[in-house]
Amino acid sequence: MIVLGIETSCDETSAALVRAGREVLSQVIFSQVALHRPYGGVVPEIASRNHVEKIMPVISEARAQAGLDWDRIDRIAVTSGPGLASALMIGVAAAKSLSLRLQRPLVAINHIEAHLYSAFLDPAAPDPAAACPLLVLIVSGGHTCLVRMSKPGVYRLIGQTIDDAAGEAFDKGANLLGLGYPGGPAIDRAAQNGNTQAIRFPRGLTRRPHHHDPTHDLLCLSFSGLKTSLLYHLKDHPLVPGDSRLADLAASYQEAIVDSLVRRTDDALRDEPYLAVVGGVSLNRRLREQMTALAARRRVRLLMAPPTFCADNAAMIAGLAGSPAFAKQPERLPMDLDVDPSLELNFNLSSATLT
Amino acid sequence: MKRLILEQSTRSGSLAVMEEGRSLLSRAWTEDRFHTQQMFGVLAEVLAVEVARLETLDSFGVGLGPGSYSGMRMALTAVRGLALPSEREVYGVSSAEALAWDEFQRTSADRVMVLGDARRERCWRVGYERGNGLPVRCTEWELVPQVDCFSGVPPGARWVSPDWERLAPQIGAAASRAAVDWADAVRIPTAEAVGGLIEARQRVGVASDPLEPLYLHPAVTVAPRY
């Protein structure tokens, strides 16, 4: 089965063709990062305008790169949420019109679940069913959560951020440090020769009652206090141009984010044979280093998506829609499909093993 | 040449299948908030009708606004998606020009001013004069404060607006002062008007407008709060 995937949930316009859920035949991503950089974050209206402009050339190029005729496409898959409403609706409109034109089924995909699936786009990754039970850290600009997958498609929420996502914490920190946008790569670069212990920033770790399961606590993360701590530190110790403390500040700030993520993942690990770390923030070098160390210490196999599939991309959308293990069924009434900016993963407690 | 046209720059969306300027089939719907649902439902229903089957369509047309951002984007993306696999032509025109063209067909007016709600207490307006079969734009696209929306325009123009319901409370008094008869000014751009204008333009070799929604505002940006 060959699936055309379409992704426009935020500031990347992407299309990909994937065979049988794992073989990426082509992928095209138009990143709008440069357009949003002057504003220090994603501007929804700019994102939507550019999706309208780029979506058809991107789809056309993905099809051409795969070298396939249109009639070889078996399904159209599209991100229906979560994300920016005005951005999501462009991808959904494109998918609906192609579904009508090609007379192919339309599949709605949850963006968070697709990030989770991205770990299986690595050709070396096991079959999703064989990797279960699996603990997944989903860490991106919009989402930070820990999920246990007991079998493909059956999830239990183990922990999540109670305020900012880790990617937001990087963006906000980079802004305060004058490092520009996007913050993740900027802080990663600035921190390269810095001392991670130079300043002790707070680790926002807490527990809260599980909203799906009152008998268990959620392992929560919090990054808003960290950002405030950096803000006050800079008020007391302002940086000057060319300040040699920048690398230490960036490294210490990054360490606080990474340490929180690693500690919470460590807390959440039970007897899972596999640990996956997915999402745009999984590109962070310090996080990769520390997660690799954690996996070795806890004797679990670490799954990380190849870099091309870490940030928002359409291959993960097409892959999930075409994966036999996840068996995403086409929508019965595809023209009724609407965007859902607040879509959550479907956490199925009854199927999950409580630990 | 058979063409499917979508117009969704207002809450009243419409679709038409036209051939040589003649409407073979048309549908209309009213959206409340999002435009995605009804338009695609109608589209699916229409494409199943014999006269509108996709393989019989030679090209597509679309109204580019100004108007509802979501509506314009949905309609433009839909026709481009339908046209993409077989590389069919997509021809876009301003929905305001289609309104003016339709008005010149219906009346003997020599000048039509089209007025719309640009939000934030402003209106957009543009003027057309009767040309040789086609409207000729005689003013710039303008954003004007609602209270001044009729000023600076020579008398005698016929005013039409797709947004009268929204604008009436704000500009009703100004309309009276300018002697604009709103009872006869409410006009909604339709797919048939867009199709008629496209046909007329192509007859004299006028190319499509750039295939992008007509945005009269720059994107609104708000600095992130940290």
Side-chain angles (χ1 to χ4, degrees), chain A residues 8-10 44 48 51 80 82-92 338-342, chain B residues 33-34 36 70 73-74:
Chain A
T8 62
S9 65
C10 191
S48 185
H51 286 314
S80 61
L84 302 170
S86 59
L88 287 164
M89 72 170 60
I90 306 306
V92 168
D338 198 359
V339 302
D340 185 350
S342 307
Chain B
R33 188 167 171 211
F34 290 110
T36 53
S70 302
R73 290 168 180 159
M74 292 297 102

Side-chain angles (χ1 to χ4, degrees), chain A:
Chain A
M1 176 188 292
I2 295 175
V3 179
L4 166 65
I6 297 172
E7 155 66 32
T8 62
S9 65
C10 191
D11 61 339
E12 262 98 23
T13 316
S14 181
L17 283 151
V18 177
R19 180 184 280 134
R22 298 290 295 264
E23 186 189 352
V24 181
L25 304 175
S26 67
Q27 174 167 262
V28 177
I29 301 176
F30 173 78
S31 172
Q32 302 176 4
V33 163
L35 300 170
H36 298 282
R37 187 171 287 128
Y39 307 99
V42 176
V43 180
E45 178 59 21
I46 291 176
S48 185
R49 289 184 182 197
N50 280 278
H51 286 314
V52 174
E53 185 185 331
K54 301 293 183 199
I55 186 71
M56 291 306 158
V58 163
I59 292 171
S60 192
E61 179 62 21
R63 205 262 329 159
Q65 281 185 16
L68 295 175
D69 289 336
W70 289 100
D71 60 10
R72 297 286 308 282
I73 295 169
D74 298 302
R75 283 183 180 183
I76 318 282
V78 63
T79 307
S80 61
L84 302 170
S86 59
L88 287 164
M89 72 170 60
I90 306 306
V92 168
K96 282 182 177 180
S97 60
L98 285 167
S99 167
L100 281 171
R101 173 62 187 83
L102 300 172
Q103 293 293 294
R104 294 293 190 271
L106 180 65
V107 184
I109 292 293
N110 180 312
H111 181 81
I112 304 175
E113 189 177 14
H115 266 306
L116 183 153
Y117 181 80
S118 66
F120 298 104
L121 289 174
D122 184 344
D127 182 81
C132 291
L134 167 74
L135 182 71
V136 189
L137 172 66
I138 301 166
V139 60
S140 69
H143 313 282
T144 298
C145 58
L146 278 158
V147 172
R148 182 169 293 124
M149 182 168 80
S150 54
K151 59 182 183 180
V154 179
Y155 309 108
R156 175 171 154 72
L157 182 66
I158 303 297
Q160 64 184 353
T161 176
I162 55 172
D163 39 55
D164 295 343
E168 266 179 289
F170 274 114
D171 285 343
K172 291 174 176 178
N175 185 281
L176 293 170
L177 292 168
L179 293 172
Y181 173 86
I187 288 186
D188 196 344
R189 276 192 302 274
Q192 224 171 337
N193 298 314
N195 175 4
T196 58
Q197 307 303 319
I199 298 126
R200 175 73 188 176
F201 285 114
R203 272 59 169 165
L205 300 169
T206 182
R207 287 172 185 264
R208 287 202 168 174
H210 199 305
H211 47 278
H212 293 300
D213 174 17
T215 63
H216 288 77
D217 284 346
L218 266 183
L219 300 172
C220 295
L221 293 135
S222 168
F223 298 108
S224 64
L226 168 64
K227 169 203 68 186
T228 307
S229 179
L230 175 62
L231 180 70
Y232 282 108
H233 181 89
L234 289 170
K235 275 187 179 163
D236 293 341
H237 312 282
L239 283 175
V240 292
D243 202 316
S244 58
R245 293 172 301 144
L246 178 62
D248 286 350
L249 262 175
S252 301
Y253 184 82
Q254 174 177 262
E255 191 68 6
I257 298 173
V258 169
D259 190 34
S260 298
L261 293 169
V262 172
R263 281 166 62 176
R264 269 296 174 249
T265 307
D266 194 10
D267 293 340
L269 270 170
R270 292 292 180 266
D271 53 359
E272 297 88 354
Y274 287 93
L275 163 66
V277 182
V278 298
V281 177
S282 70
L283 285 168
N284 180 276
R285 283 177 291 189
R286 182 68 178 159
L287 181 64
R288 287 192 164 229
E289 195 180 293
Q290 293 296 86
M291 283 295 177
T292 303
L294 172 68
R297 184 160 54 79
R298 295 294 299 267
R299 297 175 189 277
V300 294
R301 272 195 62 189
L302 181 63
L303 301 176
M304 296 188 104
T308 331
F309 307 128
C310 286
D312 291 349
N313 67 88
M316 65 185 191
I317 306 301
L320 178 60
S323 165
F326 284 80
K328 291 286 163 194
Q329 293 306 311
E331 296 285 321
R332 286 174 185 225
L333 295 166
M335 296 309 118
D336 284 351
L337 171 65
D338 198 359
V339 302
D340 185 350
S342 307
L343 185 65
E344 291 187 358
L345 264 185
N346 182 20
F347 296 110
N348 185 343
L349 271 179
S350 62
S351 305
T353 307
L354 302 181
T355 55

